[in-house]
Amino acid sequence: MSRRLQERSWLAVLILTSTAYGSVAAQETTAPAIYTGLCPIPAPLLSQPIQPFENLPAEAIGVRADGADIDSETQLASYFGNVEVHYGAQQLRTENAQINQETGNINASGATQFTDGYVQVQSENFRLNSGENRAYLSGARYQMSGAGARGRADVLSISPAEVLLEGSTFTTCPEEEPAWQLSAETIAISENEAFGEAWNAKFELFGVPVLWVPYLNFPVTDERKSGFLFPTIRSSQKNGFEVEIPYYFNIAPNMDATLAPRYMAERGLQLQGEYRYLSQQGGGEFNLAYLNEDDSLPTDNSRFLWRVEHEQQWSEQWRSYVNAIGVSDDDYLNDIGSDFAGRADAQLYRQVQANYLTDDWQVTIRAEDFELLGNFRSPYRTLPQASSFYTFTDDIGLEYSLFSELSHFRNQDVSSDYATRIHLEPQVKFAVERPAYDWLAEVGYSYTRYDQQANTFDGREENPDRGLPTVRWRGRLNLERDFEWNGTDYHQTLQPQVQYLYVPFRDQTGIGIYDSTIMQDDYRGLFRARRFTGLDRIADANQVTVGASSSIFDAQARELARISLAQIYYFEDSRTQLFDDSSAVMTNRSDIALETRFRLSDSWFFNSAVQYDMELNRTQKSQTALEYRKDDMNLVQFSHRNVTNILDDNIEQLGFQAVVELTPRWQMASNWYYDLQNKRSNDALLALQYSDCCWAVRFSAYRRINRNVEQQLIDPIANAPEFDNGISVQFIIKGLGSDDRSLLDMLEQSLFGYRHPFHLSN
């Protein structure tokens, strides 16, 4: 017997009858997609959310419908007309539904809409097996909430932990005709682990099958998952055809690795590995690239690169850092390349360091090493070096400090060539800072003693020592004014400064040179207390440095322009030199150091740094850059640099770099460096990328000078420079891998790389 319910009543399930809440949309009808940038946001498959039931018991089923029939004998309730069903997190909208009040099973026929909060489905029918807690839908269209994945399935079944698709497709493209999709016999998607598995799967591009795999594991969110990453294909004259296929290992939440075989037709198979880890106290990374035998070389020597980086904070005071890289031969970077060193790098730096820090003490223990790429003077390793710096300020403002250092140096090639250096440097400073001015006075004394190998060839003594007092005074005025120009208010600052430095001359020719080199004579460099790095040479000085810097700010306190100018006037010649007379000062004044920086607009910037020799009336060094920078997707830079008399040669180059977003989908990157001295292009790159919502392809071509260091050492004159040409193609699938639309990283692959050419105070 059945009866028709026309009023609200409670049964084994909650039945709510009411007027029509809303009609169910046709199966293929959805709201239009909303476009944001490149990618449209697909409209939800549910026409509108189902209103929740108030005070619904957790295990009860809530139903709204225009009407219902209930058979008291079979405990079968039939609902019709705008049926809405709630069961836990599951929601169902249909026209007709039957609910078994005893078992809780639900059957719906006709067009249905279903969601469990993780997946939304439109289907031809619906069945819920409450015993299995699994819903079955046939002829289904589905859409993952948040992940952006979507597709179709002949049969779709849903449980709290898994979505199982039979005869299905999967894509993250929002369009009705996706650029790529997986078609598989079975696809299983885990709701808890956010990954999918496909069996007997075909990978399709623009509707064309391009790959069949019996099994495929893939991510459905941005969470990390082990599996193959998409390959990179390249071609060059030196390496021939290249293909690189990385495999990613998601070892643990704080640990992963990548193994990337790289086949080079001209060289052979190279294996590349990366291991990364994190902890609460630090983290690090290991990298290894190994080529057992280079087929392009007559020798059978292996070629490799290794790198290790680790940072650790042991306590509030103690921390350590390791950063080291090495290659098998001088030409490795030029021939094979690396993400961790540039092709134009002339040296590799390695260090291990531990620091102890308190309010008054700073202690550093480190070992460092340089690997020079080429035929240069063999550098010394620092094994080890321990230094400390202590400061104390008394009640009247005097600051007392003591710097000490103990270093041991060893020649990389000659094990018997070593030295030990001890250095002590007490100092007293008194500084005054006022809004209108500031000045600093300091007096110090440095004592250095060496235990080194005596060598009459280079003049080294066995136990030389050196004591040097230093007197320094620096003063600066802080002037400012407001002015108006063309109806706009501006603020200008002017900071003239002067410094006097006195260091007496000491003959230091008996001391070996282990870590000293000359420093840059730019605007800030002219106000340093020393001309050389390290402690092996401390230059004598009796000089005055005069300079000034002026800036202009707008009403929003943005720095629009800065001009800085400085020069040193020598009362006596500075006779201390490094390896030859070129490092001594035999004139009465230094080069003029001029630096200018201008913000021409919100996007245009100009930078220039010049060192001009007043005695020879010529520019010794200069670098100039004009840059348009809107964002990382749009920048253009023109540059010029000039250096005279470096290794008995002059360098003058023009440079151009650009990353331009031609359209929201097309992006171009290019650089070009032209050698004005030799009238040739040393480096050129052109890259073009097309980015869609769910895929991207990147094409690039380059031509660069071949830095064959070892060949140039054999005969640097007879061997004319060679050039390497190459192309690269990289295909990226979004949703199965990552994508960085910006091509700015491509410029870093060139010989010189991109450098931000200026820095204003904001």
Side-chain angles (χ1 to χ4, degrees):
M1 157 178 143
S2 65
R3 57 187 174 137
R4 192 172 188 93
L5 294 183
Q6 301 292 347
E7 60 184 3
R8 184 175 302 173
S9 61
W10 286 87
L11 300 171
V13 295
L14 180 67
I15 304 169
L16 295 178
T17 62
S18 63
T19 58
Y21 179 75
S23 61
V24 177
Q27 181 178 348
E28 298 295 331
T29 303
T30 58
I34 302 173
Y35 278 80
T36 302
L38 284 180
C39 302
I41 301 174
L45 294 181
L46 266 65
S47 55
Q48 60 186 109
I50 299 175
Q51 296 298 320
F53 289 81
E54 296 181 0
N55 303 319
L56 180 68
E59 298 300 323
I61 300 176
V63 184
R64 289 192 185 93
D66 292 343
D69 287 327
I70 299 178
D71 192 323
S72 59
E73 294 181 357
T74 61
Q75 295 295 304
L76 190 66
S78 299
Y79 303 93
F80 50 86
N82 301 312
V83 181
E84 297 179 352
V85 182
H86 263 265
Y87 179 56
Q90 301 177 5
Q91 299 179 5
L92 174 69
R93 177 180 286 120
T94 185
E95 283 298 315
N96 298 282
Q98 290 183 331
I99 301 177
N100 190 313
Q101 301 178 68
E102 184 176 350
T103 63
N105 293 342
I106 302 175
N107 288 280
S109 59
T112 62
Q113 296 181 350
F114 171 83
T115 183
D116 64 351
Y118 178 73
V119 61
Q120 299 179 13
V121 186
Q122 287 183 355
S123 67
E124 298 172 353
N125 53 56
F126 173 88
R127 178 169 62 89
L128 173 67
N129 187 321
S130 61
E132 298 178 357
N133 197 13
R134 180 177 287 271
Y136 297 87
L137 303 96
S138 61
R141 297 173 61 208
Y142 69 91
Q143 180 176 305
M144 302 292 180
S145 300
R150 51 190 289 274
R152 297 176 181 270
D154 294 338
V155 178
L156 183 149
S157 63
I158 303 173
S159 70
E162 183 185 55
V163 177
L164 191 63
L165 310 169
E166 304 287 343
S168 57
T169 63
F170 174 91
T171 184
T172 57
C173 298
E175 298 89 352
E176 286 300 318
E177 297 182 0
W180 71 268
Q181 70 175 9
L182 287 176
S183 298
E185 183 178 296
T186 303
I187 296 178
I189 299 175
S190 170
E191 296 190 20
N192 297 327
E193 299 186 32
F195 70 91
E197 297 175 288
W199 290 267
N200 195 17
K202 292 184 297 183
F203 182 73
E204 300 177 0
L205 288 176
F206 304 102
V208 179
V210 296
L211 179 67
W212 174 86
V213 289
Y215 172 79
L216 179 66
N217 191 304
F218 58 92
V220 295
T221 68
D222 291 334
E223 294 184 23
R224 297 180 293 130
K225 179 64 182 175
S226 297
F228 282 102
L229 304 178
F230 276 83
T232 298
I233 300 173
R234 308 182 186 92
S235 178
S236 66
Q237 287 182 333
K238 291 189 305 180
N239 299 337
F241 173 78
E242 293 185 49
V243 60
E244 182 178 325
I245 306 177
Y247 188 89
Y248 177 78
F249 296 90
N250 182 25
I251 302 172
N254 66 327
M255 194 180 304
D256 64 10
T258 303
L259 191 64
R262 176 186 177 188
Y263 173 74
M264 297 171 282
E266 296 295 327
R267 300 187 185 277
L269 181 63
Q270 181 190 43
L271 190 62
Q272 302 172 106
E274 177 185 77
Y275 171 69
R276 303 184 302 175
Y277 58 93
L278 283 173
S279 67
Q280 293 183 347
Q281 290 77 32
E285 181 175 338
F286 295 93
N287 302 92
L288 179 65
Y290 182 80
L291 178 63
N292 184 56
E293 182 178 342
D294 193 334
D295 297 338
S296 67
L297 300 180
T299 65
D300 58 356
N301 296 334
S302 61
R303 307 187 73 182
F304 57 84
L305 175 144
W306 61 266
R307 174 180 174 269
V308 57
E309 183 176 10
H310 177 79
E311 187 172 2
Q312 186 82 11
Q313 182 161 346
W314 304 97
S315 66
E316 292 185 2
Q317 288 79 33
W318 280 101
R319 63 198 63 181
S320 62
Y321 180 68
V322 178
N323 186 11
I325 184 173
V327 293
S328 56
D329 55 89
D330 289 346
D331 281 330
Y332 179 93
L333 295 177
N334 177 68
D335 292 345
I336 301 177
S338 172
D339 292 335
F340 309 106
R343 296 179 183 270
D345 289 354
Q347 66 181 26
L348 301 176
Y349 179 62
R350 299 187 276 261
Q351 67 166 328
V352 179
Q353 182 170 309
N355 295 324
Y356 176 79
L357 303 173
T358 67
D359 293 339
D360 300 326
W361 279 96
Q362 177 177 329
V363 179
T364 300
I365 303 173
R366 69 175 178 177
E368 63 179 359
D369 178 26
F370 295 89
E371 180 177 350
L372 300 183
L373 306 180
N375 187 23
F376 300 99
R377 186 181 72 94
S378 178
Y380 287 87
R381 294 187 175 102
T382 305
L383 300 170
Q385 181 181 87
S387 61
S388 68
F389 184 74
Y390 173 77
T391 60
F392 168 73
T393 303
D394 63 16
D395 295 337
I396 64 174
L398 285 174
E399 179 184 306
Y400 305 90
S401 65
L402 175 63
F403 173 75
S404 61
E405 180 187 292
L406 176 63
S407 302
H408 182 74
F409 303 99
R410 281 193 174 271
N411 191 298
Q412 294 186 13
D413 298 331
V414 183
S415 59
S416 60
D417 183 5
Y418 59 86
T420 301
R421 180 182 70 198
I422 184 170
H423 179 83
L424 297 173
E425 188 173 343
Q427 194 174 71
V428 180
K429 297 181 182 179
F430 186 73
V432 175
E433 294 188 10
R434 299 291 186 268
Y437 64 90
D438 59 80
W439 59 270
L440 169 70
E442 62 182 31
V443 177
Y445 185 84
S446 62
Y447 175 78
T448 314
R449 181 176 176 82
Y450 289 79
D451 180 10
Q452 61 185 12
Q453 181 191 41
N455 192 324
T456 56
F457 176 76
D458 59 16
R460 277 185 290 177
E461 302 172 4
E462 184 174 357
N463 296 114
D465 63 351
R466 176 194 61 203
L468 279 172
T470 301
V471 177
R472 181 186 180 209
W473 184 91
R474 180 185 60 82
R476 180 172 57 187
L477 295 177
N478 301 313
L479 309 174
E480 55 185 58
R481 72 183 181 104
D482 296 321
F483 68 97
E484 180 181 332
W485 187 60
N486 285 344
T488 305
D489 294 330
Y490 296 96
H491 182 78
Q492 182 183 11
T493 63
L494 176 63
Q495 293 179 319
Q497 58 179 321
V498 60
Q499 172 181 282
Y500 174 73
L501 176 66
Y502 176 76
V503 181
F505 172 76
R506 295 290 187 270
D507 184 3
Q508 303 171 48
T509 55
I511 299 174
I513 299 176
Y514 307 103
D515 65 351
S516 289
T517 186
I518 195 166
M519 289 190 285
Q520 182 78 6
D521 290 334
D522 54 12
Y523 175 78
R524 294 182 180 274
L526 297 186
F527 288 92
R528 295 190 187 104
R530 290 178 179 169
R531 288 199 300 120
F532 304 114
T533 63
L535 298 171
D536 300 319
R537 292 293 185 270
I538 299 178
D540 54 305
N542 186 9
Q543 63 191 46
V544 170
T545 306
V546 178
S549 180
S550 180
S551 296
I552 297 178
F553 299 84
D554 62 11
Q556 288 75 41
R558 295 187 308 170
E559 189 176 18
L560 305 180
R562 184 193 306 169
I563 300 176
S564 303
L565 181 70
Q567 189 175 30
I568 298 176
Y569 294 89
Y570 301 102
F571 300 126
E572 298 177 4
D573 293 342
S574 181
R575 294 176 286 167
T576 307
Q577 60 190 40
L578 285 175
F579 302 104
D580 52 40
D581 295 338
S582 63
S583 56
V585 176
M586 300 298 178
T587 61
N588 58 5
R589 54 185 174 178
S590 71
D591 296 343
I592 291 180
L594 172 65
E595 295 181 4
T596 58
R597 290 162 169 79
F598 295 96
R599 182 192 296 268
L600 305 177
S601 68
D602 290 339
S603 302
W604 283 96
F605 301 86
F606 175 82
N607 164 268
S608 179
V610 178
Q611 295 179 37
Y612 188 80
D613 191 326
M614 298 290 291
E615 301 290 335
L616 301 177
N617 291 323
R618 71 179 185 186
T619 300
Q620 296 289 81
K621 298 179 183 179
S622 70
Q623 57 180 13
T624 304
L626 176 65
E627 179 169 296
Y628 168 82
R629 187 180 186 113
K630 180 181 178 182
D631 49 41
D632 285 345
M633 311 282 276
N634 293 277
L635 70 88
V636 179
Q637 183 187 112
F638 300 92
S639 63
H640 173 269
R641 69 171 183 160
N642 180 34
V643 182
T644 60
N645 195 26
I646 179 171
L647 298 178
D648 298 325
D649 198 2
N650 298 331
I651 296 176
E652 186 174 9
Q653 291 180 341
L654 290 175
F656 167 78
Q657 299 188 91
V659 174
V660 180
E661 190 174 43
L662 304 175
T663 70
R665 297 180 186 271
W666 286 96
Q667 192 181 18
M668 182 189 71
S670 177
N671 72 356
W672 173 67
Y673 286 94
Y674 185 77
D675 189 332
L676 293 172
Q677 290 289 325
N678 297 297
K679 295 182 172 48
R680 68 187 181 209
S681 295
N682 285 342
D683 188 22
L685 170 72
L686 178 64
L688 192 65
Q689 177 171 295
Y690 175 83
S691 296
D692 206 337
C693 298
C694 51
W695 69 285
V697 62
R698 178 181 295 180
F699 305 92
S700 64
Y702 69 85
R703 175 178 172 83
R704 56 176 170 245
I705 195 169
N706 191 358
R707 291 184 65 251
N708 194 320
V709 177
E710 295 183 354
Q711 186 64 32
Q712 291 174 2
L713 296 179
I714 298 174
D715 192 346
I717 299 177
N719 289 279
E722 298 178 354
F723 287 85
D724 179 35
N725 303 319
I727 60 174
S728 173
V729 179
Q730 186 176 6
F731 195 80
I732 302 166
I733 297 296
K734 304 178 184 180
L736 295 181
S738 61
D739 173 49
D740 179 7
R741 290 186 58 229
S742 176
L743 283 175
L744 186 60
D745 61 314
M746 291 290 295
L747 301 183
E748 296 298 337
Q749 299 179 13
S750 64
L751 286 177
F752 302 101
Y754 169 75
R755 295 292 183 270
H756 206 289
F758 51 84
H759 176 72
L760 296 175
S761 62
N762 45 35

